[in-house]
Amino acid sequence: GYKGLILDLRSNPGGLLQATVDVADEFLNSGTIIDEVDANGGKKSWSAKSGGLATKIPIVILQDNGSASGSEVLASALRDNGRAQIVGVRSFGKGTVNQLQTLKNCGDPAGCGALYLSVGRWLTPKGDQIEGLGVKPDIELPMTYDEYLDQGDIQMFKAIDLLHGK
């Protein structure tokens, strides 16, 4: 009897890429989840496999400017593959691939520290860069704290209305 699913990714800072890919895969039977492009232009793609648990239920995603990294990957994967609409405001824009590089040979037995180096960027299935730009919602609906207090969660209400229309 469910009409749809609302994924509330507001203020979600993301997580590990493989976990995000695994979640997206439950909602997709096919299609690209994310592309990674390195500094030399090399490209690696993650694609959905058939057999996800929720590939037919309509989805609306809520996001805000605190939605970053893995939540941006998930939102764009579902939207670009025609599985979801996004409501809210543009996301944070954290779409780099980082590697930890240990600093060595400094003469200190305790170690020299480490650096996180950005070694690639994520692109949405439609080829849009996430880093520095974020993911633009399908329905732009900002919400202030005062609006929330006076009117309730207008973004959630919009998501519910969209699902009722399906």
Side-chain angles (χ1 to χ4, degrees), residues 3-24:
K3 295 278 185 192
L5 179 65
I6 298 171
L7 296 178
D8 190 345
L9 302 179
R10 295 176 291 185
S11 297
N12 182 319
L16 298 175
L17 179 60
Q18 190 57 53
T20 302
V21 168
D22 291 345
V23 170

Side-chain angles (χ1 to χ4, degrees), residues 10 15 27 48 78 86 93 106 128 152 154 156-157:
R10 295 176 291 185
F27 299 106
L78 297 184
I86 302 172
C106 64
D128 297 324
I154 60 174
M156 182 68 73
F157 298 152

Side-chain angles (χ1 to χ4, degrees), residues 139-154:
I139 299 171
E140 181 84 25
L141 186 58
M143 179 176 61
T144 66
Y145 180 71
D146 287 338
E147 286 172 325
Y148 178 80
L149 291 178
D150 293 341
Q151 303 169 44
D153 191 342
I154 60 174

